[in-house]
Structure formats: structure tokens, C-alpha cells
């Protein structure tokens, strides 16, 4: 599934297209995408997108409170084959790949998944407290201090590979970037977390932040900014 750099790339691409725009309607191409019942999906129709954020590997759209005073969010969990694609307003949902279409006044955002078994999910959420339940709880590795990073890593004795990819410990790291991180740090993926020296921990913390930052920049440059 998309990891931190990929999600940040999506957020950078979506913000100029969605922020301040009103979601007119959403069309579902797959009945299995929407995993929540209350509030209903149409509760966000006619509301403006006022913020986009990352929650681990999830993408969150926040809407204005409108006349109801309700904080509403859409929470997207893209899988490895999931994509967002900006198209002309009202475009049809692709039959084989299409999961949903989100219509705005100047275009439509398609959500697709190129996989035979569709695993992506969408939740409609009311309030920050309910939104927090979608957060696995891993720390934000980009902003984490060396002490915070070490504290999370040493909570339990696991291999480095397993610990780095555990969303309850670290937000946004999966198989692909954990390999890049460990290669940069010159540490074995099979080494146990509680066997790390203080120097190993400093090296791994720096490698984690540098790898994710470098890949975020690289992906944005490849995408044209």
C-alpha cells in the first residue's frame, strides 16, 4: 500500500485541486469501498474541503461544519494498487478499475484500484474523537525526536524489519521504505530492536528521517513539483 512519501505526494497534488472546493456528490463504483454506515456518505455533499492530512498511511479530507455544526471527514485507505486520478467533471467510473468518483465544480477525482480483489476502503467519520480511532497510533517519524524514536523502537523486542513496519509503532512505513532505511543505516533487518547500541539507534533514526524525506522530495520532483 502507499507509504508515507507516496501519501505526501498525493496530498501535495490534491491540495490545489480540492482545498476550498465544494464536493457536489460522490458516486460509488464498488459497493465494497464504503465501510461505514453512519454518518451517510451524502452528509458531506455540498460541503467544502477545508483541510487534507495524513493519518499513518491513510488520507483524510476534512469538511467545513456547515449549518449542522458537525465535523465530518472522509478517510481513505489506498492499497498498493490504489490510485487517485483527476479527470473532467462527470467522467464515467471505469468499469474494471473504478471504485468511486468525487465530483467538484471543475473536475472529478476518480479512485481506482488495479487489483482483482479490491481492498481499498472509505469511511465517513464524525468528529475528531471518531477520527482518532482510525489512527493505529504509530509516532510521526518525520517529526519524532531521537528519544521518541528510540522509545517506540524498544517497546518490544522485534526484528528491525518488523518494528519499522508496525503501524502501532511508526506511522507510514511499509516494506519498501523500511528496506531503503535499513540499507542506508547498514543494519540487518533481522537484528533485534533491544540489541541496538545507542549509536545504532542514532544512525537508524537519522536514516529513517533522511530516507523518507529524500523519497518524498524525489517523488514530487518526478511528478513535476
Amino acid at each position: 500500500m502507499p507509504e508515507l512519501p507516496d501519501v505526501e505526494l498525493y496530498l501535495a497534488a490534491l491540495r490545489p485541486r480540492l482545498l476550498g472546493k465544494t464536493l457536489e456528490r460522490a458516486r460509488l463504483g464498488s459497493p465494497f469501498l464504503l465501510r461505514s454506515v453512519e454518518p451517510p456518505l451524502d452528509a458531506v455533499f455540498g460541503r467544502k474541503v477545508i483541510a487534507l492530512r495524513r493519518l499513518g498511511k491513510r488520507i483524510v479530507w476534512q469538511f467545513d461544519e456547515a449549518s449542522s455544526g458537525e465535523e465530518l471527514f472522509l478517510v481513505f485507505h489506498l492499497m498498493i494498487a490504489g490510485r487517485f486520478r483527476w479527470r473532467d467533471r462527470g467522467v464515467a467510473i471505469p468499469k474494471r478499475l473504478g471504485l468511486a468518483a468525487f465530483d467538484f465544480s471543475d473536475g472529478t477525482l476518480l479512485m481506482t484500484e488495479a487489483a482483482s480483489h479490491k481492498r481499498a476502503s472509505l469511511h465517513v467519520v464524525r468528529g475528531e474523537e471518531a477520527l482518532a480511532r482510525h489512527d493505529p497510533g504509530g509516532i510521526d517519524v518525520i517529526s519524532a525526536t531521537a528519544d521518541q524514536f528510540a522509545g517506540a523502537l524498544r517497546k518490544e523486542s522485534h526484528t528491525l524489519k518488523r518494528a519499522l513496519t508496525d503501524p502501532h509503532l511508526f506511522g507510514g512505513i511499509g516494506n519498501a521504505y523500511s528496506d531503503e532505511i535499513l540499507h542506508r543505516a547498514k543494519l540487518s533487518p533481522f537484528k533485534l530492536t533491544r540489541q541496538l547500541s545507542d549509536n545504532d539507534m542514532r544512525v537508524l533514526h537519522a536514516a529513517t528521517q533522511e530516507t523518507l524525506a529524500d523519497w518524498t522530495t524525489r517523488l514530487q520532483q518526478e511528478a513535476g513539483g
Side-chain angles (χ1 to χ4, degrees):
M1 64 187 67
E3 300 176 34
L4 188 153
D6 313 280
V7 173
E8 289 293 339
L9 178 64
Y10 270 126
L11 290 173
L14 290 173
R15 284 186 178 112
R17 292 177 169 87
L18 304 189
L19 284 181
K21 304 290 182 61
T22 298
L23 176 62
E24 297 180 345
R25 63 171 178 161
R27 295 172 279 136
L28 295 180
S30 168
F32 305 108
L33 175 67
L34 184 62
R35 307 293 177 84
S36 60
V37 177
E38 176 60 32
L41 182 57
D42 62 10
V44 296
F45 296 179
R47 294 183 182 232
K48 287 183 180 179
V49 180
I50 60 171
L52 298 172
R53 68 174 98 163
R54 179 176 61 83
L55 193 65
K57 298 176 185 177
R58 293 162 175 79
I59 293 173
V60 179
W61 299 4
Q62 180 178 353
F63 292 86
D64 64 6
E65 296 183 7
S67 59
S68 67
E70 289 184 319
E71 281 187 311
L72 293 177
F73 305 87
L74 292 184
V75 182
F76 298 87
H77 197 182
L78 293 173
M79 304 309 288
I80 192 167
R83 298 290 186 274
F84 282 127
R85 305 174 189 276
W86 186 252
R87 296 290 186 262
D88 291 338
R89 184 175 181 273
V91 67
I93 300 174
K95 289 185 178 180
R96 188 170 63 87
L97 305 180
L99 297 178
F102 301 88
D103 296 325
F104 297 85
S105 61
D106 58 346
T108 290
L109 187 71
L110 291 178
M111 184 178 179
T112 64
E113 187 174 8
S116 56
H117 180 58
K118 304 296 191 261
R119 299 174 58 203
S121 66
L122 168 65
H123 289 81
V124 186
V125 177
R126 179 186 289 114
E128 290 281 355
E129 183 176 343
L131 180 63
R133 300 190 194 110
H134 291 268
D135 186 354
I139 64 172
D140 181 0
V141 290
I142 293 298
S143 62
T145 66
D147 287 344
Q148 290 170 332
F149 183 87
L153 202 63
R154 286 176 171 151
K155 279 184 177 179
E156 298 181 22
S157 184
H158 293 307
T159 64
L160 289 181
K161 175 74 171 180
R162 179 179 171 186
L164 286 174
T165 57
D166 185 342
H168 302 289
L169 299 178
F170 302 103
I173 304 176
N175 286 324
Y177 292 111
S178 63
D179 290 340
E180 295 278 346
I181 289 165
L182 292 169
H183 178 74
R184 180 177 290 215
K186 296 181 173 59
L187 290 169
S188 166
F190 303 109
K191 189 165 187 172
L192 293 177
T193 54
R194 290 179 179 171
Q195 293 177 344
L196 291 184
S197 67
D198 289 342
N199 184 64
D200 287 340
M201 192 67 73
R202 286 191 293 269
V203 169
L204 184 58
H205 174 248
T208 299
Q209 293 188 332
E210 291 166 3
T211 298
L212 296 175
D214 287 351
W215 271 101
T216 300
T217 300
R218 177 174 173 177
L219 291 174
Q220 289 176 348
Q221 289 173 342
E222 290 176 354

